[in-house]
Amino acid sequence: MTKSVFIAEKPSVARAFGAALKYNFSNKDGYMESEEAIVTWCVGHLVTMSYPEVYDEKMAKWSLNTIPFIPSQFKYEIIPQSAKQFNIVKGLLNREDVDKIYICTDSGREGEYIYRLVDQEAHVTGKIKKRVWIDSQTEEEILRGIREAKDDSEYDNIGAAAYLRAKEDYLMGINFSRALTLRYGYSIRQFLGLDKCVVAVGRVMTCVLGIVVDREREIRNFVKTPFYRVIGDFSVDDNVISAEWRVTEKSKYNGSFDLYSEKGFKEEKGAKALIESLGQLPVNAKLTKMEKKKETKNAPLLYNLAELQNDCSKFFKIDPNQTLAIAQELYEKKLTTYPRTDARVLSTAIAKEIDKNIRGLTSYEPAAIFAKAILQHESYKGIAKTRYVNDKAITDHYAIIPTGQGLSAISSLSPTAAKVYEIIVRRFLAVFYPAAQYSKIKLELAVDTSENYTETFFAGFKLLASKGYLHVMDYSFFKKKDEKESEDKTDNDAEDSAADEGLFEALSKLKKGDTLELKQASIKEGETTPPKRYNSGTLILTMENAGQFIEDEELRSQIKGSGIGTSATRAGILEKLVKNKYLELNKKTQIITPTQMGEMIYDTVYVSMKPMLNPSLTASWEKGLTQVEQGEISEDEYMKKLSDFITRRTNYVKENDMRSHMQQFFVNSAQYYKKVQKKKNTSKKK
């Protein structure tokens, strides 16, 4: 009797498959076996790419003479600490009584790569190989995945992209890190007083370092500029409303060089002169414009991993790697769908049976009332026609949503993991609720001056008329103050002031041509603010949306949908930059800043291989991998482009010594960080 082997990525996933199959399995060393099937597992990667010295022992010593290093055939080897499990898996895959292999590693590029390396090194031949592609680890989804498993050859393009991604990181890391370390490592080491210094360079890592350093230097070089606004207080029945002066065509200050912007003056004396021109207060003002409108605000799109990492950084102050670990835990406990996804929408297929997920959530106490209401009103039935369902916006997996199953595992979650599950549930249920409705009023109030000019004040007010989906978004872990702030921040029009029902009713009675009294005018001083530093969440989103840095519109459209790195790798890239001490991550605030070494590495790359800092280049590599994955370009085409780039950039570093040019960069960096350290020491003494 022949058997099938089911190979998963982790023991916990293998157990989920074993439970779904419902065979009478007995536990063995590194696998489970029944009369019908065998279930085994990897432990992450079992195989890795060989170091350069395996190709040639001369490569063990770093030398400019041995690079660029681009082998015609790549070598692989078993990871020593994983050798035992590899040999177990190898034996099972090659057993004579095994005729079929079900590949159950994670459904994505990396999962495909993990299995293909094992298959390659185990020299598996003569077996039927089926790929199980699932979106959650519920029993129903596992059985569907097995039932609908396709021949693994249909995933050859994904496998090719996975191999190329690994080769790219390997070749760039080896050649560029050796070239820059040999050329500039000694200078950095001497300057910082280090025992050793390796200039670590990576396709994505170096680009992300560049984004953070560029932002930090933008902040450092920012010069604050004060400005002065004029605020008028007007009577409306028993209420007093505030309105802001802005320049108009009828204003005395139209085209004036005294203005900082249409809303304010460069100097306080200009604001004072404006107030004096209004005459002895109070004075009358004419309502020249009265606009009422309704505005709807729909629930946000569903979570992908980047959006989830951003919100977890903001809400819970945890870094992207911690969020990914929690998302993976929720997936493995059958609570949510596959986490490493870029999609923020559902597929048409899942939309047809989405009521099953909602029905399961009626047992989830924090959101049960909303799930029951959705089912009662059958609001899920029209979801396929909304923006929340779009097959074209999905590559491998749809958005992260709750399965409605596995709720017994909630008690075993950490408090933070439980909160992460809650935000996923609420974001999911919100899409089945109506939009929030706002009533808005905008006013323009004109005051005639003694000099025959007209100065105009503007005000906007909003009233939340119907909470709609916002009912669902009342997180249990927010204090009321946080809730209010969160709601205000999500509103698109930050210039509108929130009004209570009494004030809004009084404003609604006004009509164009009415006279209001300007009771007083005051000056509000402000100053321009520098851009904000990245935190771990906003940096992940920035990596996902690399196109924002690209000025060329055509290129920007070409790489649309391809960010820097992938949902599966971004957290690891950030972690590596922190581990290398190129970036600092404040665990309390999740704010990210470059270190002095990080800035020196940046300067080194800037003068020697500047394209590595360019998000458009890095995103275009990722776009290329996607094109391989989709069969649009061949593996050979991609590899040729990669080899040419590595050869060209490595030879440039070998042929051009920029150490003297970089010295001033290093001096500037040292002076700045000396001031920073002095400031820190002074603060500690206080």
Side-chain angles (χ1 to χ4, degrees), residues 279-306:
Q280 186 67 39
L281 301 183
V283 297
N284 287 334
K286 187 176 182 180
L287 183 59
T288 56
K289 188 174 181 181
M290 167 71 174
E291 182 183 282
K292 298 179 186 177
K293 66 176 181 176
K294 300 284 186 183
E295 187 176 278
T296 60
K297 184 182 170 204
N298 292 304
L301 292 172
L302 297 158
Y303 278 123
N304 62 8
L305 183 58

Side-chain angles (χ1 to χ4, degrees), residues 597-659:
M597 181 188 286
E599 292 209 35
M600 293 176 78
I601 298 295
Y602 170 96
D603 290 329
T604 301
V605 175
Y606 186 86
V607 299
S608 57
M609 48 177 67
K610 189 178 176 182
M612 289 295 290
L613 297 167
N614 191 334
S616 64
L617 174 75
T618 310
S620 71
W621 287 114
E622 195 61 52
K623 181 74 171 180
L625 291 174
T626 302
Q627 289 174 321
V628 171
E629 207 168 282
Q630 295 172 350
E632 295 172 9
I633 62 173
S634 71
E635 220 175 325
D636 288 342
E637 285 177 281
Y638 191 93
M639 198 63 204
K640 184 180 185 307
K641 178 185 174 186
L642 176 62
S643 299
D644 289 347
F645 177 78
I646 288 169
T647 300
R648 193 168 65 253
R649 299 315 308 182
T650 303
N651 286 335
Y652 181 85
V653 175
K654 288 171 67 175
E655 295 161 9
N656 295 274
D657 188 344
M658 307 291 287
R659 278 175 289 191

Side-chain angles (χ1 to χ4, degrees), residues 318-536:
I318 59 174
D319 66 47
N321 239 5
Q322 291 171 291
T323 300
L324 177 55
I326 289 172
Q328 183 70 23
E329 178 189 5
L330 296 176
Y331 169 64
E332 291 179 11
K333 289 185 174 178
K334 306 180 184 180
L335 286 159
T336 59
T337 55
Y338 188 71
R340 293 171 178 83
T341 177
D342 292 319
R344 298 189 62 197
V345 292
L346 300 174
S347 66
T348 305
I350 194 67
K352 290 177 182 177
E353 50 186 39
I354 203 67
D355 59 304
K356 294 177 183 176
N357 303 60
I358 301 166
R359 212 170 298 282
L361 294 173
T362 58
S363 299
Y364 177 60
E365 192 276 327
I369 188 172
F370 306 115
K372 289 174 183 175
I374 293 165
L375 292 169
Q376 182 183 345
H377 294 95
E378 297 186 332
S379 55
Y380 59 86
K381 286 191 172 178
I383 196 69
K385 297 178 182 178
T386 69
R387 68 187 188 126
Y388 305 107
V389 176
N390 183 358
D391 290 334
K392 292 179 181 178
I394 299 170
T395 49
D396 297 337
H397 299 276
Y398 52 79
I400 302 170
I401 62 171
T403 62
Q405 298 184 38
L407 296 179
S408 60
I410 289 178
S411 60
S412 68
L413 298 176
S414 68
T416 302
K419 291 172 186 174
V420 174
Y421 179 66
E422 182 184 336
I423 68 173
I424 293 171
V425 169
R426 290 185 184 276
R427 176 70 71 98
F428 169 67
L429 293 177
V431 307
F432 302 99
Y433 264 69
Q437 301 282 343
Y438 289 90
S439 295
K440 292 195 169 187
I441 290 177
K442 291 191 180 295
L443 308 175
E444 290 183 18
L445 294 151
V447 179
D448 293 327
T449 70
S450 56
E451 300 170 292
N452 293 322
Y453 291 104
T454 300
E455 304 299 345
T456 309
F457 292 79
F458 296 77
F461 299 90
K462 64 182 178 185
L463 175 70
L464 181 60
S466 172
K467 284 188 75 171
Y469 81 90
L470 292 174
H471 281 293
V472 188
M473 308 304 283
D474 288 338
Y475 301 114
S476 65
F477 51 83
F478 267 172
K479 295 175 182 175
K480 288 297 177 185
K481 176 177 177 291
D482 297 330
E483 238 172 69
K484 182 70 173 65
E485 285 179 359
S486 177
E487 183 180 306
D488 288 346
K489 285 175 185 174
T490 58
D491 189 15
N492 291 329
D493 193 348
E495 294 182 356
D496 290 338
S497 302
D500 59 33
E501 290 185 7
L503 173 57
F504 208 84
E505 186 179 349
L507 292 171
S508 299
K509 293 176 182 176
L510 296 174
K511 58 184 183 296
K512 185 177 177 181
D514 283 352
T515 299
L516 277 69
E517 188 177 68
L518 172 59
K519 295 174 68 67
Q520 65 176 28
S522 57
I523 297 171
K524 190 169 184 179
E525 183 179 353
E527 61 182 13
T528 55
T529 56
K532 290 183 178 179
R533 288 186 172 90
Y534 291 107
N535 61 41
S536 60

Side-chain angles (χ1 to χ4, degrees), residues 228-230 245-279 447-457 523:
Y228 302 87
R229 296 155 55 213
V230 175
W245 173 86
R246 292 183 209 164
V247 69
T248 61
E249 288 184 3
K250 296 180 179 180
S251 169
K252 176 184 178 181
Y253 299 94
N254 185 29
S256 171
F257 291 108
D258 293 337
L259 294 179
Y260 167 73
S261 71
E262 63 168 8
K263 298 180 182 180
F265 294 85
K266 295 175 184 176
E267 297 181 5
E268 189 176 14
K269 65 181 182 181
K272 285 181 176 178
L274 168 64
I275 292 174
E276 287 173 6
S277 73
L278 299 175
V447 179
D448 293 327
T449 70
S450 56
E451 300 170 292
N452 293 322
Y453 291 104
T454 300
E455 304 299 345
T456 309
F457 292 79
I523 297 171

